[in-house]
Amino acid sequence: MTSTTTEPETTSVERHCPRLGAVVRRVALSLVIACVIPATLFYVCFRAYGVWTAIIVALCWSYGAIAWRALTGRRTSGLLLLTALLITARTVISLAAGSTFLYFLQPIISDAVVGTAFLASLATARPMVARLAGDFYPMDDELHLRPRIQRLFRNLTVLWAGLCLVKAGLTLWLLQSTSLETFVLVKSVSALSINMLAAGATIGLAVLVARKEGLLPGAPALASA
């Protein structure tokens, strides 16, 4: 006589339940690599060696981080790729024109373009945040199609679009009204602070929805509204 044991079937929800701490660490690490470290390196090098050295060092960090993740078999986040692309464009245009002013003007234009792109993506089936979500949480088609998840992605896309557009306006005012040294310092601190606060709000909203959907360990799923 042989006895068989039946294992409980693994549901889609169970396959998508990384712990909250793991998700927060992933988001924090992505922000540190893509935003905090290059901004810090830029300011330190700017104060010590001048603006052109700071520009090159920030660019080298971004591509070094991409290369390191590729060599170690790790996924490169969309945020890091986007940051590297924007820094590359800023550096090439500034070097070609021989103008550091253009280097600081371009992030303003980039923020305006990115904010507009986020808003435009709301007209598609997958708004911009939905396309980046896989960097921070395991996603599949079943999760993407849940009504609460879709509303979350749309709301967060609006949040980040507004953030980029407001930041573009404030940075333009700062560039025109302060010295270069003051601009670099204030922009470095304020940009990091704003991004961290926005990331915290994003995590908070995502956690609320994840708990309702039963996507966190121990959280019961509620009926989709």
Side-chain angles (χ1 to χ4, degrees), residues 138-153:
M139 303 292 298
D140 62 12
D141 291 339
E142 188 271 333
L143 281 182
H144 274 289
L145 292 175
R146 295 188 187 189
R148 284 196 185 101
I149 301 296
Q150 290 183 328
R151 285 198 297 272
L152 173 67
F153 287 156

Side-chain angles (χ1 to χ4, degrees), residues 146 148 151 205-216 219-225:
R146 295 188 187 189
R148 284 196 185 101
R151 285 198 297 272
L205 292 172
V207 167
L208 288 177
V209 173
R211 290 193 183 283
K212 292 179 180 179
E213 291 291 325
L215 297 178
L216 294 175
L222 302 180
S224 295

Side-chain angles (χ1 to χ4, degrees), residues 21-102:
V23 176
V24 172
R25 284 194 297 273
R26 189 178 299 177
V27 173
L29 181 61
S30 181
L31 285 172
V32 167
I33 292 175
C35 302
V36 176
I37 293 179
T40 302
L41 286 173
F42 184 93
Y43 182 71
V44 171
C45 292
F46 170 75
R47 296 292 297 176
Y49 305 108
V51 63
W52 287 113
T53 300
I55 289 173
I56 298 302
V57 168
L59 180 65
C60 289
W61 164 261
S62 295
Y63 281 99
I66 292 173
W68 176 75
R69 296 189 73 82
L71 291 173
T72 55
R74 301 166 185 244
R75 177 179 177 176
T76 300
S77 71
L79 180 61
L80 178 57
L81 291 173
L82 178 61
T83 301
L85 178 63
L86 293 176
I87 292 178
T88 300
R90 293 168 61 185
T91 303
V92 169
I93 293 174
S94 299
L95 288 172
S99 171
T100 57
F101 178 80
L102 284 178

Side-chain angles (χ1 to χ4, degrees), residues 192-210:
L192 290 176
S193 301
I194 291 172
N195 287 336
M196 290 298 182
L197 289 174
T202 298
I203 293 172
L205 292 172
V207 167
L208 288 177
V209 173

